[in-house]
């Protein structure tokens, strides 16, 4: 019989249904499936910490689609596994779509794949407690700048503090990666979630009134040249088109390999509450 790790690599995602996991038993289930839970340090999504390295899965408005992505693929290190838990199922919608990263990569237009061959440069402007987007305090779960500097040292990122307390970070990362066990190459970046074309009309309008030093996050090709909006649209639409929806029932768990599989969120109505934990 396969060990859980071997099964997850083989299947890429596993749904645990019918185990009647409750808020009271979720912690022990997470301990069993994720023995080394990680803090969401340097995470860019708005979340609330609700337990021992357990977070709300996202706090974006329910009417929005969250495009396919691998958690923290913009960072120097990322979680190997994600465990989602449905505490309250939505009234309608709210599925977590997942997509095979190898299939996503193979399905992209060759022109787009070639254009991303040099990698992606992510830019973040993290304010000092008041402004657009997340603060550096929320992003790094600390109020001590020296903790942030210690974290960033050795990550390959360029960073500096501005006079107004904003933390500017620039990171050059590859657009694809290979799974540490199988060696399979997958599409693995969040260019579309850092690009205004992937965030809707409001984000696009924001770039017309704010400078690059004021926008919370942005992205370019490795050489600093702009990424065409049509590339971003193609990437997003391809990932969502290929995705398989995991519909939620209260008590469900979903364990995914965060390298082999990307995930997102469908719009919903009702009191959806899905929590997430991460591990190496």
């Amino acid at each position: 019989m396969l060990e859980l790790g071997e099964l997850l690599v083989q299947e890429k995602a596993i749904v645990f249904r019918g185990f009647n996991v409750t808020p009271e038993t979720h912690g022990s289930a997470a301990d069993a499936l994720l023995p080394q839970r990680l803090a969401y340090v340097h995470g860019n999504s708005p979340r609330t910490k609700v337990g021992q390295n357990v977070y709300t899965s996202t706090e974006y408005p329910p009417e929005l689609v969250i495009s396919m992505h691998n958690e923290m693929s913009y960072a120097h290190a990322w979680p190997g596994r994600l465990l989602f838990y449905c505490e309250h199922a939505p009234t309608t919608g709210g599925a977590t779509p997942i997509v095979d990263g190898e299939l996503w990569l193979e399905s992209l237009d060759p022109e787009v794949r070639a254009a991303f061959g040099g990698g992606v440069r992510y830019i973040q402007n993290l304010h000092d407690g008041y402004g657009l987007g997340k603060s550096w305090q929320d992003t790094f779960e600390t109020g001590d700048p020296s903790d942030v500097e210690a974290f960033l040292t050795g990550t390959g990122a360029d960073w500096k503090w501005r006079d107004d307390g904003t933390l500017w970070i620039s990171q050059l990362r590859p657009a694809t990666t290979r799974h540490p066990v199988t060696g399979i190459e997958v599409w693995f970046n969040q260019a579309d979630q850092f690009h205004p074309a992937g965030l809707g009309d409001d984000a696009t309008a924001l770039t017309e009134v704010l400078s690059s030093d004021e926008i919370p996050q942005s992205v370019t090709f490795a050489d600093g040249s702009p990424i065409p909006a049509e590339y971003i649209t193609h990437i997003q639409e391809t990932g969502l088109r290929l995705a398989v929806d995991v519909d939620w029932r209260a008590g469900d768990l979903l364990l995914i390999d965060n390298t082999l599989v990307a995930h997102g969120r469908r719009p919903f109505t009702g009191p959806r509450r899905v929590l997430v934990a991460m591990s190496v």
Side-chain angles (χ1 to χ4, degrees):
M1 184 169 60
L2 293 176
E3 296 286 341
L4 177 63
E6 296 174 318
L7 181 64
L8 185 61
V9 169
Q10 175 181 291
E11 300 298 331
K12 305 178 183 179
I14 303 170
V15 175
F16 296 85
R17 176 164 289 164
F19 291 89
N20 300 316
V21 178
T22 66
E24 293 72 29
T25 61
H26 170 243
S28 59
D31 287 340
L33 296 172
L34 298 182
Q36 295 176 286
R37 294 211 292 275
L38 301 172
Y40 188 56
V41 177
H42 202 180
N44 71 326
S45 179
R47 303 182 191 275
T48 299
K49 194 170 187 176
V50 297
Q52 182 183 355
N53 290 341
V54 177
Y55 301 82
T56 54
S57 61
T58 186
E59 294 178 2
Y60 287 111
E63 68 272 13
L64 298 181
V65 173
I66 297 178
S67 61
M68 310 308 296
H69 62 285
N70 303 83
E71 203 62 52
M72 298 184 68
S73 57
Y74 55 84
H76 78 291
W78 52 86
R81 297 181 185 180
L82 305 181
L83 179 67
F84 296 92
Y85 164 60
C86 180
E87 186 174 312
H88 295 294
T91 304
T92 63
T96 294
I98 57 175
V99 65
D100 184 315
E102 181 184 20
L103 176 62
W104 193 5
L105 174 63
E106 292 175 347
S107 301
L108 293 174
D109 188 289
E111 177 184 325
V112 173
R113 293 202 306 270
F116 279 84
V120 178
R121 183 169 295 281
Y122 302 98
I123 307 294
Q124 292 174 286
N125 291 293
L126 304 175
H127 62 78
D128 189 25
Y130 180 77
L132 295 170
K134 292 181 71 174
S135 67
W136 62 261
Q137 293 94 333
D138 286 341
T139 298
F140 291 97
E141 295 192 0
T142 181
D144 188 341
S146 63
D147 290 341
V148 179
E149 294 171 5
F151 179 89
L152 291 173
T153 299
T155 65
D158 297 318
W159 52 272
K160 61 184 176 183
W161 297 98
R162 300 192 186 278
D163 292 341
D164 64 356
T166 297
L167 175 61
W168 173 88
I169 304 173
S170 173
Q171 304 178 88
L172 176 60
R173 307 297 182 203
T176 67
T177 195
R178 291 187 180 275
H179 191 269
V181 175
T182 67
I184 291 173
E185 185 178 17
V186 296
W187 186 251
F188 196 81
N189 66 81
Q190 281 171 249
D192 67 297
Q193 294 194 335
F194 276 66
H195 195 291
L199 298 174
D201 294 339
D202 289 344
T204 302
L206 201 62
T207 64
E208 298 174 356
V209 297
L210 297 179
S211 70
S212 59
D213 291 340
E214 297 172 309
I215 297 172
Q217 58 188 36
S218 59
V219 65
T220 68
F221 286 126
D223 61 1
S225 60
I227 300 174
E230 58 268 26
Y231 285 7
I232 297 299
T233 300
H234 170 66
I235 291 165
Q236 280 196 337
E237 290 180 348
T238 301
L240 286 165
R241 173 174 55 83
L242 297 171
V244 175
D245 284 354
V246 177
D247 293 309
W248 289 110
R249 300 177 189 174
D252 285 355
L253 296 169
L254 168 63
L255 181 66
I256 69 173
D257 185 306
N258 186 46
T259 302
L260 293 174
V261 169
H263 66 280
R265 191 201 69 188
R266 303 291 186 186
F268 67 94
T269 64
R272 181 187 192 271
R273 182 172 169 87
V274 175
L275 305 179
V276 64
M278 314 170 201
S279 77
V280 295

